[in-house]
Amino acid sequence: MASFAASVVRNSVFRTPSSAFRRVSSRTLTTRATSYTLNTGAKIPALGFGTFQDPDSQEETVSRALKKGMRLIDTARVYDVEEQVGRGIKKSGIPREDIFLGTKLWCSDYHPEDVERAVDDSLRDLDTPYVDLLLMHYPCTFKRGPDRFPRDAEGRIVHGETTFVDTWKAMEKVTRTGKVKAIGVSNFSMGEIKTLLDEASTVPAVHQMEVHPYLQQKEFNQWLQNLGIHVVQFSPLGNMNDFYRQTGWSKEISHMMRVIDQPVLKEIGEKYNKSPVQVVLAWGINSGRSVIPKSVVDWQIEQNLEADFELQTENMARIATLDAKARFNDPSLDYEWRLYSDLEGIDGTMRGKTH
């Protein structure tokens, strides 16, 4: 298996034709439309649109984001927004084949007999015959059934009897139906990915994980790149989302200065006539990853679309100094599973319910 993984073609950058570029006249700065090649051969945009939270706004904002130029839409079953996302895609008028759409399988649907049915549920709500990417949301399995967060009498999560390897093998089978074009994982540790490589036959196309200037995970990112596993950054703006300060397992470190308030990012932004948010997103793209910021505000969506530009090497190096190994997403004690066990930023984990 190791030799197969090593033989996977490295992710290569695919640039759209220059006619698709936009110019910012005040700085003659090229705004790009970068895409990357997955190990399946499919192209994934570098800049996408996240749909976590705000269910009442998703139909309209997904539609507007697509009309403005977004082509990567990320969602998940547990977000409870798939119907709204599907309506937004239809409302946009953008052809389905021009959109890269990904969703995530939730932990209570990990039993092998449940996987294809769960995919069918997502396809029904998204109103699409296929998704471009299906991710396993977390490596931990919950008790199968309609309760997404099954708990015992003491309020603790009840685990399922299957393993993520069993789930992965069921996902591999679904790819043969045409309902799923590529499969990947999210929130896995290095050891958990190694287990998949050793015990299954498909190298994940994508690992979606928390990456931002406060949690750069340089060695892990390089390891994934060497295997041809493309990284999609969730929470690319770090602790900007209030969720990390309000959830039951909120870590003390989530209350540190917001990433976008860092003076160094403001200074870099001034050089390019860009905001700190745009600099942070550009940093992710210049590092060879895709980023999926979320917003329901028109001007923010437009600014995000202007965040694909080239950062000079010295500015990338300055951003590298912000790494604080600060992981904000860590529901380990709620999920009764030591997530990210061999990765950085697992200290300070708190007990508390997600929902």
Side-chain angles (χ1 to χ4, degrees):
M1 187 62 221
S3 60
F4 173 74
S7 68
V8 175
V9 178
R10 302 292 193 269
N11 288 1
S12 59
V13 180
F14 172 83
R15 306 296 183 190
T16 53
S18 58
S19 60
F21 292 172
R22 296 182 293 275
R23 288 275 179 184
V24 181
S25 58
S26 61
R27 304 285 292 186
T28 61
L29 182 68
T30 300
T31 299
R32 309 173 301 187
T34 305
S35 293
Y36 297 106
T37 303
L38 299 180
N39 59 24
T40 62
K43 300 294 194 300
I44 184 172
L47 186 62
F49 188 78
T51 60
F52 175 54
Q53 300 174 311
D54 306 305
D56 294 337
S57 302
Q58 291 303 337
E59 178 179 344
E60 191 60 38
T61 54
V62 166
S63 175
R64 291 202 305 267
L66 288 169
K67 289 177 180 178
K68 290 177 184 295
M70 289 285 185
R71 290 295 180 267
L72 166 59
I73 304 294
D74 174 80
T75 191
R77 190 63 181 169
V78 78
Y79 296 168
D80 282 325
V81 297
E82 286 180 322
E83 288 188 40
Q84 295 92 324
V85 169
R87 290 197 298 267
I89 290 173
K90 286 288 168 50
K91 190 173 185 177
S92 74
I94 303 300
R96 173 65 184 87
E97 60 270 21
D98 293 345
I99 301 168
F100 191 101
L101 175 62
T103 193
K104 306 178 192 71
L105 187 71
W106 184 241
C107 308
S108 56
D109 284 326
Y110 280 9
H111 192 283
E113 293 179 6
D114 296 334
V115 170
E116 187 169 3
R117 186 269 310 155
V119 170
D120 289 340
D121 289 345
S122 287
L123 295 181
R124 179 197 65 226
D125 288 353
L126 289 165
D127 193 14
T128 181
Y130 69 94
V131 288
D132 298 275
L133 179 65
L134 177 69
L135 301 176
M136 205 183 315
H137 208 139
Y138 283 95
C140 42
T141 65
F142 295 170
K143 178 182 176 182
R144 64 189 299 210
D147 190 351
R148 290 180 179 163
F149 293 87
R151 299 183 185 275
D152 62 20
E154 296 179 350
R156 296 195 169 187
I157 287 287
V158 180
H159 286 166
E161 297 178 354
T162 191
T163 70
F164 62 78
V165 174
D166 297 329
T167 308
W168 185 254
K169 290 179 178 179
M171 291 168 65
E172 289 178 320
K173 291 180 180 178
V174 177
T175 62
R176 300 174 198 138
T177 68
K179 298 174 182 179
V180 172
K181 302 298 185 183
I183 55 176
V185 296
S186 181
N187 295 296
F188 271 52
S189 68
M190 182 183 292
E192 288 159 346
I193 291 176
K194 285 180 179 178
T195 297
L196 287 182
L197 298 179
D198 290 340
E199 300 186 25
S201 58
T202 303
V203 176
V206 165
H207 184 206
Q208 187 176 127
M209 64 185 197
E210 181 181 352
V211 184
H212 43 73
Y214 281 167
L215 183 68
Q216 299 186 20
Q217 304 191 83
K218 298 166 189 174
E219 291 183 9
F220 189 35
N221 268 293
Q222 186 61 57
W223 183 79
L224 291 164
Q225 186 177 42
N226 290 344
L227 287 172
I229 301 174
H230 182 63
V231 172
V232 175
Q233 297 181 203
F234 74 73
S235 297
L237 303 176
N239 58 343
M240 184 174 176
N241 193 331
D242 284 339
F243 171 80
Y244 290 128
R245 289 179 285 279
Q246 297 170 355
T247 185
W249 40 260
S250 175
K251 297 169 71 171
E252 184 67 29
I253 200 169
S254 68
H255 297 274
M256 67 191 293
M257 177 189 289
R258 295 188 308 169
V259 171
I260 63 168
D261 292 331
Q262 280 288 343
V264 66
L265 297 176
K266 294 179 180 179
E267 292 173 12
I268 293 172
E270 289 173 358
K271 294 181 179 180
Y272 295 90
N273 196 26
K274 296 288 187 178
S275 71
V277 167
Q278 291 171 314
V279 170
V280 171
L281 297 178
W283 168 79
I285 295 170
N286 278 260
S287 298
R289 301 183 288 265
S290 294
V291 295
I292 47 170
K294 63 172 292 290
S295 179
V296 295
V297 182
D298 261 6
W299 67 265
Q300 291 178 345
I301 295 171
E302 290 175 359
Q303 278 204 354
N304 291 346
L305 278 164
E306 298 293 335
D308 185 1
F309 61 94
E310 184 177 0
L311 280 171
Q312 295 176 328
T313 303
E314 57 265 34
N315 292 317
M316 292 290 287
R318 293 185 71 192
I319 296 172
T321 66
L322 297 177
D323 191 6
K325 297 177 175 52
R327 183 182 297 278
F328 304 123
N329 186 78
D330 194 350
S332 293
L333 293 181
D334 186 24
Y335 293 0
E336 302 290 331
W337 186 283
R338 177 59 271 181
L339 298 164
Y340 324 116
S341 58
D342 52 19
L343 302 178
E344 298 172 334
I346 64 173
D347 53 309
T349 307
M350 303 290 288
R351 182 170 290 282
K353 289 185 179 180
T354 305
H355 298 285

